[in-house]
């Protein structure tokens, strides 16, 4: 859950490392550090507690640090509090071996005890210091070079890691090792780069290498070689990244989140266009054909956070359209259950990053049980994308804000497309409805743009309720799925205590929390359930709630109940999430701004949760 970078070339390394870290700061931001080797072979390590800008100020934007080879790290603390001593890089006492690490070495205590018996002293509380000192131990004990020392240490590590290591005796090389944590390598003329994701590299090259699990890379100046654990050289073909470098910049917006909210029509349009061809959904690139579809007896959708909320909506869509039983489950629960699965079941893993530890573990369990697996993934080449049987790539582009918006919206499109096509194959969706749904799907991007035009009213409402302590979101069916996501957004970036309830459930307990002025958001986009949800809204209003309503144009009777209403354009009922979520994203965004919070980097959170 940290970010790592490396540079080996002829240019001054520190400014490049700092710029790279700024692109990865979404992965962790409680401390940062760099290590740069200068021409005399000495390495300068600079660390700072707090945001990257503290490190940048300390090094004059990197200009105060000499040298053309270096590594860097931005941290999200796992072992040890955020502090300068716990910040990376960590090194051997003689500074011969220096490294940065993203992930967790689970057996670090056992390794630490072993090293202590061999005279090693530890200054930080981190597992990374242990890992680097273990490499140092094998390096000095066996005297067989860095590759030997690293691969030997890798056979002892249990856990996940993406590491970059420098050795004083090998001044022109950076060594990288990986297991279950992301790492990308890029080459340009006379220089090489490594990073936790492609965004720091995009500016230099779009041709990148994805290093595999339990593999080591040796980066020279403009060259890279890959090795397996037996130190045998292996071939890895470069892949081309289609993401635009500008997509990872704020581009005039105050925050990445509001930029990404506005990018949703494009993310949705691109994802639709990737599968809708000649008026039909074409899943050939995903690899799901009619024969495969007909073999599916049941579906389990497994994910975390917002991706799980996509699953909640997906459950209604796929089950409703294709009449296949669908269950949705949190990956952190699924992985410790003993799920009943066989080759007739499809397990869908939804993940923006493709690196979420619980989702990856769930995927591996599903595969072990013999189920067919499909990933809905945004990051090309990520672990989940590489390990699933079928991958449906969402085309949201790089998402930087910790709170997901455009990736969530693109994932919904994947769910709709899957639901519709499975239904078509199974004969549960007739040609006329299928054609009208395709048309509605293609209308969504423009309709999303229309919803975005209403943002000033929502900004006004958010400013009015900036002091809200508690907030409740209620809805039925798909509207319950929307409520869950709206509530999560509110918690994570606005720090407002919020809960989402299936509207019919509130009288079974939560209604006792409603008092004068409690803010309740009622989502009512489903025709069949509109009156039911409206009755639940009346119930909370009569207990003093202040009500915001979200419904479709035409449902004007809601104004008899709600104090503030946001209307969304009419679309197929299965697609309403795509429109109704936008006001809720805007509400949490503007509320966070009104409270003066750090919208893009909320406290305690990281974008990609690669630890359990
Ligand atoms: O990368 P993933 O989609 O697997 O991430 C899953 C969750 O960690 C993520 O959706 C998280 O809940 C977001 N911060 C929500 O905005």
């Amino acid at each position: 859950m940290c970010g790592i970078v490396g540079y080996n070339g002829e240019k001054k390394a520190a400014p490049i490392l700092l710029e790279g870290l700024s692109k990865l700061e979404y992965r962790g931001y409680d401390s940062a550090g760099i290590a740069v080797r200068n021409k005399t072979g000495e390495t300068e390590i600079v660390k700072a507690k707090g945001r990257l800008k503290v490190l940048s100020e300390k090094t004059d934007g990197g200009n105060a640090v000499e040298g053309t080879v270096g590594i860097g790290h931005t941290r999200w603390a796992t072992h040890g509090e955020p502090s300068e001593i716990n910040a990376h890089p960590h090194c051997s006492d003689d500074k011969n071996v220096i490294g940065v690490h993203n992930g967790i070495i689970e057996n670090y205590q056992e390794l630490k005890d072993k090293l202590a018996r061999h005279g090693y002293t530890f200054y930080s509380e981190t597992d990374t210091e242990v890992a680097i000192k273990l490499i140092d131990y094998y390096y000095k004990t066996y005297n067989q070079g860095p590759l030997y020392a690293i691969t030997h240490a890798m056979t002892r590590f249990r856990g996940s890691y993406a590491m970059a290591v420098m050795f004083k005796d090998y001044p022109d090389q950076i060594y990288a090792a990986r297991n279950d944590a992301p790492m990308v390598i890029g080459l340009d003329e006379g220089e090489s780069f490594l990073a936790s994701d492609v965004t720091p590299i995009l500016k230099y090259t779009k041709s990148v290498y994805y290093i595999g699990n339990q593999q080591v890379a040796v980066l020279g100046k403009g060259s890279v070689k890959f090795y397996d654990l037996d130190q045998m050289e292996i071939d890895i073909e470069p892949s081309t990244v289609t993401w635009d470098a500008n997509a990872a910049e704020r581009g005039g917006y105050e925050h990445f989140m509001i930029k990404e909210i506005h990018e949703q029509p494009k993310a949705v349009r691109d994802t639709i266009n990737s599968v809708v061809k000649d008026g039909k959904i074409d899943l050939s690139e995903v690899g799901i054909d009619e024969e495969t579809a007909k073999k599916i007896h049941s579906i389990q959708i497994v994910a975390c956070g917002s991706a799980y909320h996509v699953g909640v909506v997906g459950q209604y869509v796929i089950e409703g359209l294709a009449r296949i039983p669908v269950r949705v489950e949190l990956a952190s629960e699924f992985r410790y259950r003993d799920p009943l699965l066989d080759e007739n079941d499809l397990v869908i893993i939804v993940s923006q990053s493709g690196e979420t530890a619980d989702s990856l573990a769930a995927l591996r369990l599903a595969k072990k049980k013999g189920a067919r697996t499909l990933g809905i993934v945004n990051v090309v080449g990520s672990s989940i994308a590489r390990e699933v049987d079928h991958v449906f790539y969402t085309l949201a582009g790089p998402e930087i804000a910790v709170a997901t918006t455009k990736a969530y919206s693109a994932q919904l499109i994947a769910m709709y497309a899957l639901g519709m096509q499975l239904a078509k194959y199974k004969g549960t969706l007739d040609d006329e409805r299928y054609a009208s749904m395709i048309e509605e799907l293609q209308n969504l991007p423009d309709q999303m743009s229309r919803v975005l035009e209403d943002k000033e009213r929502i900004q006004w409402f958010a400013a009015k309720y900036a002091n809200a302590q508690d907030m409740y979101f209620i809805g039925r069916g798909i509207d319950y799925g929307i409520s869950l996501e709206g509530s999560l957004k509110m918690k994570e970036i606005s720090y407002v205590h919020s809960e989402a309830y299936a509207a019919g459930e509130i009288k079974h307990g939560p209604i006792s929390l409603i008092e004068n002025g409690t803010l309740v958001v009622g989502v009512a986009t489903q025709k069949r359930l509109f009156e039911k949800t409206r009755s639940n809204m009346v119930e909370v209003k009569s207990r003093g709630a202040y009500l915001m309503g979200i419904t479709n144009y035409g449902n004007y009777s809601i104004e008899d109940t709600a104090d503030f209403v946001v209307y969304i354009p009419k679309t197929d009922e299965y697609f309403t999430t795509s429109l109704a979520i936008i006001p809720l994203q805007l509400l949490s965004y503007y509320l966070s701004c009104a409270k003066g919070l750090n919208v893009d980097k909320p406290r305690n959170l990281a974008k990609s949760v690669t630890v359990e």
Side-chain angles (χ1 to χ4, degrees):
M1 209 119 92
C2 308
I4 66 172
V5 290
Y7 173 77
N8 189 0
E10 298 300 343
K11 297 189 191 118
K12 203 165 185 173
I16 295 174
L17 296 173
L18 288 174
E19 197 196 359
L21 288 177
S22 73
K23 301 267 186 318
L24 297 180
E25 220 189 348
Y26 71 88
R27 300 179 64 87
Y29 31 84
D30 59 42
S31 54
I34 54 172
V36 179
R37 171 161 298 132
N38 67 27
K39 290 222 159 54
T40 66
E42 291 311 310
T43 301
E44 188 173 349
I45 299 178
V46 193
K47 307 185 197 188
K49 182 181 167 192
R51 294 276 146 96
L52 187 62
K53 73 176 197 307
V54 185
L55 179 68
S56 186
E57 278 161 18
K58 208 168 168 178
T59 58
D60 184 23
N63 290 314
V65 182
E66 293 303 326
T68 60
V69 185
I71 54 180
H73 188 268
T74 178
R75 182 166 186 251
W76 188 85
T78 53
H79 292 74
E81 56 166 15
S83 67
E84 204 167 301
I85 195 95
N86 286 331
H88 302 207
H90 291 281
C91 60
S92 57
D93 286 2
D94 58 2
K95 279 173 94 177
N96 202 324
V97 183
I98 302 174
V100 290
H101 162 223
N102 163 38
I104 288 187
I105 305 296
E106 287 163 8
N107 57 335
Y108 82 104
Q109 191 58 51
E110 167 197 327
L111 300 172
K112 192 172 184 177
D113 295 344
K114 167 193 161 86
L115 289 166
R117 287 195 295 278
H118 288 281
Y120 279 82
T121 308
F122 295 90
Y123 306 97
S124 76
E125 298 158 84
T126 65
D127 52 342
T128 306
E129 188 184 2
V130 177
I132 299 305
K133 287 185 170 167
L134 188 71
I135 294 171
D136 178 67
Y137 170 73
Y138 288 132
Y139 182 65
K140 293 197 171 104
T141 307
Y142 296 101
N143 205 16
Q144 291 197 48
L147 193 56
Y148 179 88
I150 291 175
T151 50
H152 213 75
M154 286 166 78
T155 61
R156 297 296 310 274
F157 294 153
R158 269 206 319 274
S160 63
Y161 50 85
M163 263 177 212
V165 188
M166 301 197 299
F167 292 76
K168 189 173 182 184
D169 309 329
Y170 295 80
D172 288 334
Q173 289 171 343
I174 296 176
Y175 290 79
R178 170 180 189 269
N179 188 52
D180 280 351
M183 184 187 284
V184 186
I185 289 164
L187 301 181
D188 201 5
E189 197 68 30
E191 49 191 1
S192 53
F193 306 84
L194 73 81
S196 297
D197 76 26
V198 292
T199 51
I201 298 177
L202 278 179
K203 183 174 160 186
Y204 307 98
T205 176
K206 291 203 166 179
S207 169
V208 299
Y209 297 85
Y210 295 105
I211 172 173
N213 274 342
Q214 308 248 307
Q215 291 176 356
V216 178
V218 183
L219 282 76
K221 292 184 189 297
S223 67
V224 63
K225 285 185 174 176
F226 298 96
Y227 299 88
D228 64 16
L229 274 189
D230 296 321
Q231 300 166 63
M232 299 300 291
E233 192 171 341
I234 47 175
D235 270 344
I236 295 184
E237 289 298 316
S239 311
T240 305
V241 183
T242 53
W243 285 2
D244 174 8
N246 293 331
E249 305 289 338
R250 266 195 286 125
Y253 284 91
E254 198 179 345
H255 299 105
F256 276 108
M257 183 177 175
I258 191 70
K259 175 179 177 248
E260 288 162 5
I261 286 174
H262 280 92
E263 284 173 346
Q264 290 182 108
K266 177 173 171 6
V268 161
R269 185 176 289 114
D270 288 350
T271 306
I272 293 170
N273 288 344
S274 73
V275 287
V276 176
K277 289 169 191 149
D278 302 326
K280 292 194 182 92
I281 292 167
D282 176 358
L283 296 180
S284 55
E285 281 188 29
V286 180
I288 301 274
D289 56 16
E290 186 161 356
E291 199 191 334
T292 313
K294 284 185 169 158
K295 282 191 205 144
I296 299 170
H297 288 180
S298 82
I299 294 177
Q300 299 218 14
I301 306 174
V302 185
C304 303
S306 295
Y308 168 78
H309 298 156
V310 168
V312 173
V313 173
Q315 181 180 24
Y316 289 105
V317 176
I318 299 177
E319 204 166 77
L321 288 172
R323 310 308 296 150
I324 299 172
V326 182
R327 174 174 177 163
V328 57
E329 193 163 0
L330 293 163
S332 54
E333 289 296 311
F334 178 92
R335 66 180 290 188
Y336 292 114
R337 218 165 38 82
D338 188 10
L340 294 171
L341 291 170
D342 63 31
E343 70 278 7
N344 297 316
D345 299 312
L346 176 69
V347 173
I348 303 177
I349 308 283
V350 189
S351 177
Q352 186 285 130
S353 62
E355 301 292 348
T356 301
D358 285 323
S359 305
L360 188 57
L363 163 64
R364 289 178 181 162
L365 176 65
K367 288 188 82 168
K368 205 165 130 200
K369 297 249 168 199
R372 185 183 288 276
T373 58
L374 184 155
I376 296 177
V377 180
N378 196 44
V379 177
V380 176
S382 57
S383 300
I384 292 173
R386 285 196 283 172
E387 292 188 30
V388 282
D389 302 317
H390 307 271
V391 58
F392 189 137
Y393 277 118
T394 49
L395 301 186
E399 190 179 64
I400 309 295
V402 164
T404 181
T405 51
K406 63 174 180 170
Y408 166 88
S409 287
Q411 288 162 353
L412 285 172
I413 299 300
M415 280 297 173
Y416 305 156
L418 271 174
M420 288 166 67
Q421 201 52 33
L422 289 176
K424 189 82 181 63
Y425 286 147
K426 293 203 69 197
T428 53
L429 186 60
D430 64 42
D431 289 350
E432 201 184 328
R433 177 89 198 277
Y434 181 76
S436 99
M437 287 186 88
I438 298 264
E439 205 182 317
E440 294 289 15
L441 198 61
Q442 290 174 317
N443 286 338
L444 277 177
D446 287 341
Q447 291 178 321
M448 292 172 90
S449 300
R450 270 179 67 199
V451 179
L452 281 164
E453 283 166 14
D454 212 11
K455 65 184 176 201
E456 274 160 25
R457 283 180 73 233
I458 295 165
Q459 185 171 13
W460 166 82
F461 185 77
K464 200 164 166 213
Y465 279 89
N467 292 327
Q469 300 290 315
D470 306 287
M471 209 179 278
Y472 298 92
F473 293 76
I474 58 172
R476 289 169 181 257
I478 284 178
D479 293 334
Y480 171 53
I482 300 168
S483 301
L484 286 167
E485 178 60 7
S487 172
L488 179 64
K489 286 280 132 334
M490 191 55 69
K491 285 186 188 90
E492 67 177 335
I493 60 162
S494 312
Y495 310 158
V496 174
H497 164 248
S498 76
E499 304 292 341
Y501 289 105
E505 269 296 294
I506 50 167
K507 53 181 158 308
H508 297 285
I511 202 163
S512 64
L513 296 168
I514 306 295
E515 48 192 41
N516 260 349
T518 306
L519 198 52
V520 177
V521 179
V523 186
T525 71
Q526 306 292 298
K527 192 169 176 202
R528 199 165 52 91
L529 300 168
F530 178 78
E531 283 307 332
K532 299 276 174 204
T533 304
R534 199 164 67 110
S535 301
N536 299 129
M537 290 167 72
V538 171
E539 282 159 15
V540 291
K541 191 175 169 78
S542 62
R543 268 92 183 165
Y546 188 84
L547 266 175
M548 170 175 171
I550 298 185
T551 190
N552 314 306
Y553 281 107
N555 288 337
Y556 301 120
S557 62
I558 200 167
E559 292 189 13
D560 300 341
T561 313
D563 301 288
F564 176 75
V565 182
V566 178
Y567 292 103
I568 58 165
K570 277 207 176 119
T571 179
D572 190 283
E573 289 207 327
Y574 282 117
F575 303 158
T576 55
T577 316
S578 298
L579 304 177
I581 197 58
I582 293 175
L584 300 184
Q585 294 168 342
L586 290 168
L587 182 63
S588 61
Y589 171 76
Y590 286 123
L591 217 138
S592 178
C593 292
K595 288 172 84 171
L597 300 175
N598 192 331
V599 176
D600 286 337
K601 296 173 193 136
R603 67 184 177 207
N604 306 336
L605 294 176
K607 177 86 182 152
S608 175
V609 185
T610 55
V611 294
E612 200 181 338

